[in-house]
């Protein structure tokens, strides 16, 4: 079933991304995995290749288009390349909109050029040791000290946590305000009292730096408030659909790619005198995964279009997120199994895909939280 | 997510179908279930309402349009009404194409007007006691006796078996020809030696007459050969995509309808002092089913369009068939459970849907056969 | 794997049950299904055969043994025979313990002889239109009128509802007492104002009379209070483990029987030139079901022994209930599918087993309620 | 549900194993994981602690008991400790029986003392790059050169591959003999031409050395033939039940342990103002896993007893293997999810258990091969 959502421009962009991956990512990827972090050079190269800030207005060095299909292409190609470490999707699709959507002109001028050039790597820090799914439990505080915010608290599991030059921190600005007492405060590299904790040791996504961040009496300039005072919750809600779509798009691409690899594998691998593909169980496995991929692809492509058009609602974004990531997880598990012992070897793509992919049903809103959102909405 | 495939014409047709159901089907449905068969009057009424032969050229009294969306509308509305007994889909989408596609002009003149008026109810008889999934095992024979075919054998599980005035029988015309020795022979009501067996007692679809047919030295005119001599297998293959789409379209409509009913039910039914909908497990059930329906709907609507355009291949039709019918089955089971004891009472829609729907993964090519087709094609 | 829990006595009892089924049940079963109710004669015959009141003291005509293995044998054989309609298990294992455990000597003398002879068929009426899983929502009231209880309310889904001569009714005796305001009141056939409603039309278990009961100003003698005043909830809780075990034991027996039938079927049924059993998918289906049955059997036999020893707790009884019934449901669905079109025909055992069995995850405490009980206990 | 299979002796042995783990394994485990291999000292310590050669006759320094419950205790404790790297189970339960069962007295004297003291670490090498599930495809050859075997070929995925001092190699001794042309040849450390390849990089079980082995014109003494010439296939089949039981026993222990950890976690972790355990979905997850563990435990304990008694057949050993390992896999996945982001952090037990455990459905005979064995046997 031919996909119908892309134009020639998107195809051309896909070529650009592939070339970038081949030249700037894949040759270094193993090293990054050993280092537990990607090189800053890759970010600069991405900036030069025009991959950063696709939706940022051109005046700040961005691509100037909110057509989400470009993001989809990017996510798809990074996924197919097996290179989730360089977190451009996070930077572009998740953090980007906060800056383009909420920043003042002054802030834009300060932050967006670096954002697009790759000089300013970004992160968003919501999660805390005691607050993950439940953002209202956030305890990091930003006290209004007249001419600055005094930031105290700690964050964990922050993607790009070590590399980030600019971190959007969700902090309590009105102590008893609950969800309505949270604001977005931008903390920049070098701020006194802002410290990185451990680069966490994960079972997958080894080249992604996921880190703890500590804020001890960090003085943040008043002009680093992003968006409305006490308005973080609404800002977060507004941008979550896109975060979820970004993850979902990568998830279906991962599943499709795993299927492709594994289809090839079972055609070539022999056992009992003939290719595995000749065994009915294997055939059914492939048929089932192929069906699930095809069905999901139709839905996702529809969501991509709707999201580009601005008509995708929170419920459908949540559906896309949990469904596609659970499919990815299931598919990775099945494909690993179909590779037999080889599936357990790190050098095999399925093995990596299995461990790299396992986080997808958790971050960006867990499967369970997605179901809550959908269920509540349908039963309201 | 708004469906995007229908025009105003389709919507108008939907109204026609609804009116027909309300007037000509629902008031009699319980009676038909008790009788194990629908009334011939309903067929005539369907003819008058323009529901028969949507794709038959207008010169023969048909609708003249091969736009599959009309069939989809019909299947959807019959399904929502919970009235699978009146097998218009079978007549239109499965048998129709054989007649319009293969019949000679003479045959068309003989058969199509009655087909469209409801006077000639049709059936197709492939399955035999010893040949279901494996059509090559068919043992019914049609011997060429010069001026007629001599038909011998028996068929089973034939929908419309009792009512049918015209039966397309798949029979062996070349004894050792295997798949290449089968032909389509049209047997008409009244032919000597053509007898109906039992109207089979099924666990669901009570108003559908599913019957055994016996052929003992039936003399069938030579001009009742449909299509190519020894060409049945290819004719069958050609028309199976549409048969499968018809079933799939009804299946997703059934799942959606069950979800709708059940969503309503859990909002209203109280337990432990509040609506069931307030329980997280219930919410997750609804969220999961809603997601599966939304995802599947996107795929099915794409398939409907592709099929109307003539671009749907056998693999995707098979995917649609097994995926949608398994979804229907799963959904019926879950919705029944969510109704508690009421779900087991025949008067409840979910109970009927559970038993009526269970056949869907079996006829028209079982789930297993669908997976074979898909797997083989992908691994070729 | 040989079962290890039975002695020769149990084996002999099994023979008795089989003989009873062959002589007194199977010849009439189809008729009962058409009637929607079994014959009272069968109950009398069961009494004569010594199948009623296995655990009732011998002085009242019972078997005098609380060894639950006899109940297990009974449930297993009735299940294998495909004859769930004659609800001896309900009578013996569910209602019996209330009478033997809670009745006064006078009550025992009044009720138990008939209970054991089959003259007094019993029922227990907890469920109401608005109170199923949530027994605290019961609205039937029994007002203390000095020399009698005045009973008002209605019950639904009552097994043996039409046949029952003695009904244990759960009613509110203390209006605002919540769970602590319910009592067990025994209502006997003929009581004025006690009326049977419809014999409900179910999708399965056709020969079981499941009915609505209405109580309009029924005057029940004071001496018909069973157990403690306001003590029903505790009485119910005490007896539920046995009810659940009874259902679970039937469930695993059903699954095993379905597997047996289907194993045979796929060895005999041919497609594509060889038995279905030669297809890997079919082999895997059988292997998976056989494993599930073997694993579950080991657990159930352990539970049977523990329950006979009085050491089975509520949590494990709940595990047995939901796990075994869900296995039964799953197995019935798979076996039906493996029978192809025949699986949908009422005359086939798998078809009946599919519809008969579907209620098992619902009555006696739904799967969801079982999980609540287990989860709460483990997370307390 | 109290387990009923252990005596005081087993309990005492369990204490020994725990003490050993605490003293000799856990303090070094992280280091071993970094090294990709355990220390030889640990093996010697295990020997001193009496953990090696439980079933080896006492005259050779072994435990002298074939009571499989000791092996079960060992497997359970190593699993609970999260220390699969030190492959004592492999050594004792898988390789041990070949030596005790097939070795000549001379061989026993040569090999068993070191086997029991920990000086002789063992491995078994069946798998080759082109022969895993399908052992008949083995291409390593052992040519009879009169006074020695000339061994050529390569093996892969060999556990203890780097550490092993004694390797049982499955090799072709009769070129065209198919399954009947394979023999067991013992290759010892230091043999010329016997080389270790890479210590393979796996996604889990990091401290287990799994390696490639190469044999280039290795001259193996004639007296190193183990068992019958050309009899390897039967020897392998005979010992596989025990291998499978060993894996199954570890698998259920892993699942139970994960459940325990996770039950604790959800009781402590708070979200939305209360412990996760208060959420119904979480409760159901725990209830479902607890049920699966309880059901499986009953089956496994029965298998352990049967295996100790010598009555466990290949079918039930295969059931135990696939069922328990699939349960472990499923449970690890669910428990990881329930830990949210923490589940993805290597320092968390669930994260390790997830990657360590993933191999279990593959080695020792894949899930698919187990189903083949069961299905074939039941459908013969
Ligand atoms: C690799 C990685 C990268 C990450 N990157 C970032 C980042 O860049 N920025 C950032 O802010 N955060 C990041 N996170 C954090 C991530 O968003 C959280 O881990 C996630 O939201 C879950 O929160 P938690 O870990 O606290 O789990 P919890 O919220 O403690 O959840 C534990 C379990 O309980 C379930 N649960 C919770 N609430 C409910 C409910 N109401 N009903 C049913 N089940 C429920 C969850 O689904 C989960 O299964 C990252 C995490 C990882 C592992
Ligand atoms: C209500 C009803 C209406 C019907 N209407 C019609 C009709 O109008 N006209 C008509 O001709 N037929 C009709 N049928 C027949 C229907 O098409 C067949 O029942 C169906 O094709 C399956 O064939 P079977 O019953 O012989 O099952 P079998 O072919 O015997 O299959 C038994 C099982 O084996 C599985 N199986 C078979 N082959 C394979 C394989 N290669 N690999 C894996 N699994 C396999 C099947 O999937 C199934 O689970 C109807 C059936 C029913 C029940
Ligand atoms: C054939 C038949 C025979 C019966 N025989 C008897 C009898 O002899 N005597 C008698 O008293 N009753 C009998 N019953 C009634 C039976 O026990 C109830 O139907 C059953 O307890 C469920 O109650 P309900 O139907 O009111 O469903 P509800 O309680 O309304 O439940 C509806 C759905 O919500 C779910 N649900 C409810 N509470 C929760 C929760 N807290 N968390 C998650 N999910 C929840 C249920 O699991 C179910 O899926 C019978 C029923 C049938 C169908
Ligand atoms: C960590 C680890 C340790 C190991 N330790 C040892 C060791 O000590 N000694 C040793 O000899 N080996 C060892 N092995 C090898 C292991 O036993 C094999 O990997 C396993 O038997 C599978 O073989 P394979 O990898 O060649 O997979 P394949 O045989 O190629 O199988 C690939 C896939 O096809 C499936 N398949 C194969 N045949 C069929 C069939 N007939 N029907 C359906 N599906 C089928 C498999 O189930 C699997 O999903 C180890 C492997 C690992 C990963």
């Amino acid at each position: 079933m031919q996909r119908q959502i892309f134009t020639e421009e998107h195809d051309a962009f896909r070529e650009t991304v592939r070339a970038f991956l081949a030249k700037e990512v894949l040759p270094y990827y193993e090293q990054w995995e050993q280092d537990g972090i990607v090189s800053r050079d890759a970010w600069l190269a991405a900036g030069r290749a025009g991959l950063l800030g696709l939706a940022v207005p051109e005046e700040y060095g961005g691509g100037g288009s909110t057509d989400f299909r470009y993001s989809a292409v990017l996510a798809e190609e990074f996924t197919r390349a097996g290179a989730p470490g360089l977190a451009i999707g996070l930077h572009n699709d998740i953090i980007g909109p906060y800056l383009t959507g909420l920043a003042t002109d002054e802030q834009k001028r300060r932050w967006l050029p670096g954002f697009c050039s790759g000089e300013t790597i970004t992160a968003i820090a919501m999660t805390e040791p005691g607050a993950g799914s439940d953002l209202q439990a956030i305890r990091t505080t930003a006290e209004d000290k007249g001419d600055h915010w005094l930031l105290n608290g700690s964050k964990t599991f922050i993607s790009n946590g070590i590399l980030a030059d600019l971190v959007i921190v969700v902090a309590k600005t009105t102590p008893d305000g609950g969800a309505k007492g949270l604001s977005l405060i931008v903390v920049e590299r070098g701020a006194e009292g802002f410290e990185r904790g451990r680069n966490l040791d994960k079972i997958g996504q080894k080249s992604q730096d996921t880190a703890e961040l500590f804020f001890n009496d960090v003085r943040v300039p008043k002009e680093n408030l992003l968006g409305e005072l006490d308005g973080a919750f609404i800002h977060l809600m507004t941008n979550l659909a896109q975060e979820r779509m970004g993850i979902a798009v990568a998830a279906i691409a991962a599943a499709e790619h795993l299927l492709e690899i594994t289809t090839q594998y079972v055609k070539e691998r022999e056992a009992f005198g003939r290719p595995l593909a000749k065994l009915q169980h294997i055939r059914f496995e492939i048929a089932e995964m192929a069906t699930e991929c095809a069905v999901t692809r139709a839905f996702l492509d529809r969501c991509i279009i709707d999201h580009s058009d601005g008509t995708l609602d929170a419920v459908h974004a949540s559906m896309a997120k949990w469904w596609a990531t659970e499919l990815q997880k299931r598919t990775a598990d099945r494909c690993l199994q179909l590779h037999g012992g080889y599936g357990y070897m790190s050098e095999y793509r399925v093995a990596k895909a299995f461990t790299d992919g396992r986080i997808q049903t958790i971050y960006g809103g867990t499967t369970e939280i997605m179901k809550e959102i959908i269920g509540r909405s349908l039963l309201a």
Side-chain angles (χ1 to χ4, degrees), chain A:
Chain A
M1 214 174 232
Q2 209 56 42
R3 294 178 69 185
Q4 298 175 326
I5 66 171
F6 296 117
T7 65
E8 278 178 23
E9 277 81 48
H10 302 109
D11 295 344
F13 180 66
R14 192 180 292 276
E15 287 314 313
T16 307
V17 178
R18 285 190 183 161
F20 172 78
L21 280 160
K23 181 147 170 280
E24 308 287 356
V25 173
L26 297 183
Y28 312 105
Y29 204 73
E30 215 180 301
Q31 186 58 48
W32 298 347
E33 292 224 315
Q34 278 168 35
D35 299 343
I37 196 163
V38 308
S39 145
R40 292 191 74 92
D41 292 343
W43 282 93
L44 297 172
R48 282 192 305 273
L51 306 186
L52 303 182
L54 302 178
V56 170
E58 287 170 278
E59 50 182 307
Y60 302 111
S65 159
T66 57
D67 178 348
F68 188 68
R69 290 173 290 181
Y70 290 106
S71 295
V73 167
L74 205 79
E76 288 168 19
E77 291 306 317
F78 269 71
T79 298
R80 291 183 69 84
L86 184 61
I88 296 185
L90 172 78
H91 185 77
N92 277 353
D93 301 331
I94 300 179
I95 298 161
Y98 289 99
L99 300 182
T100 54
L102 301 174
T104 60
D105 282 355
E106 181 271 333
Q107 290 174 327
K108 286 182 181 166
R109 276 192 304 272
R110 263 205 286 151
W111 294 326
L112 288 176
F115 182 94
C116 296
S117 71
E119 276 153 310
T120 307
I121 301 174
T122 60
I124 180 157
M126 302 176 270
T127 306
E128 301 184 355
S133 299
D134 175 17
L135 288 180
Q136 301 196 29
I138 279 176
R139 280 163 40 178
T140 294
T141 52
E143 247 181 289
D144 186 341
K145 290 294 188 182
D147 63 339
H148 65 270
W149 299 103
L150 191 68
L151 198 67
N152 274 294
S154 67
K155 297 285 178 179
T156 192
F157 299 147
I158 306 308
S159 301
N160 286 349
I162 301 295
L163 281 178
D165 305 294
L166 179 163
V167 183
I168 303 178
V169 177
V170 184
K172 254 203 163 82
T173 35
T174 299
D176 302 322
K180 290 188 179 141
L182 298 170
S183 302
L184 303 178
I185 308 283
V186 173
V187 178
E188 291 169 274
R189 174 177 291 278
E192 204 171 323
F194 166 28
E195 269 159 48
R196 326 269 169 163
R198 293 176 300 157
N199 186 353
L200 297 162
D201 184 10
K202 307 185 296 293
I203 60 172
Q205 303 226 352
K206 297 282 190 184
S207 67
Q208 230 300 310
D209 53 314
T210 310
E212 297 165 331
L213 304 182
F214 300 106
F215 307 98
N216 300 313
D217 285 337
V218 182
R219 297 163 71 106
V220 184
K222 279 312 264 299
E223 56 270 29
N224 276 18
L225 171 71
L226 188 66
E228 297 296 316
L229 179 64
D230 288 345
F233 210 75
I234 284 165
H235 297 330
L236 291 169
M237 292 308 120
T238 313
N239 286 294
L240 279 174
Q242 173 140 316
E243 170 163 6
R244 282 158 195 170
M245 276 305 295
I247 295 173
V249 161
I252 174 67
E256 287 172 338
H257 189 49
L258 282 160
L259 173 63
E260 207 178 300
I261 289 172
T262 305
T263 300
Q264 200 52 37
Y265 187 78
V266 299
K267 283 164 82 167
E268 285 166 9
R269 174 80 180 165
E270 304 230 339
F272 303 99
R274 37 187 205 157
L276 289 177
K278 293 286 172 207
L279 292 158
Q280 191 176 41
H281 169 72
I282 306 285
R283 216 149 55 226
F284 276 34
E285 286 289 295
I286 297 292
E288 290 173 11
M289 291 191 286
T291 304
E292 290 200 298
C293 282
V295 170
T296 304
R297 169 51 70 205
F299 180 64
L300 255 292
D301 274 0
R302 171 74 198 266
C303 289
I304 290 170
I305 291 301
D306 282 7
H307 184 54
S308 291
D309 292 350
T311 61
L312 190 77
D313 62 21
V315 165
H316 286 85
S318 299
M319 287 176 168
K321 163 63 167 76
W322 85 259
W323 180 262
T325 57
E326 292 288 337
L327 171 67
Q328 172 182 7
K329 187 178 86 170
R330 210 159 52 233
T331 305
D333 184 69
R334 295 170 88 167
C335 288
L336 186 156
Q337 182 74 15
L338 288 173
H339 276 71
Y342 295 95
Y344 200 62
M345 301 297 135
S346 304
E347 69 196 290
Y348 274 72
R349 270 301 289 281
V350 280
K352 271 276 165 55
F354 177 75
T355 48
D356 281 353
R358 186 60 191 84
I359 190 55
Q360 293 261 96
T361 66
I362 295 173
Y363 61 17
T366 67
T367 293
E368 291 76 21
I369 295 299
M370 297 303 100
K371 291 182 187 169
E372 268 293 337
I373 291 171
I374 299 162
R376 267 171 210 236
S377 166
L378 297 180
L379 293 166

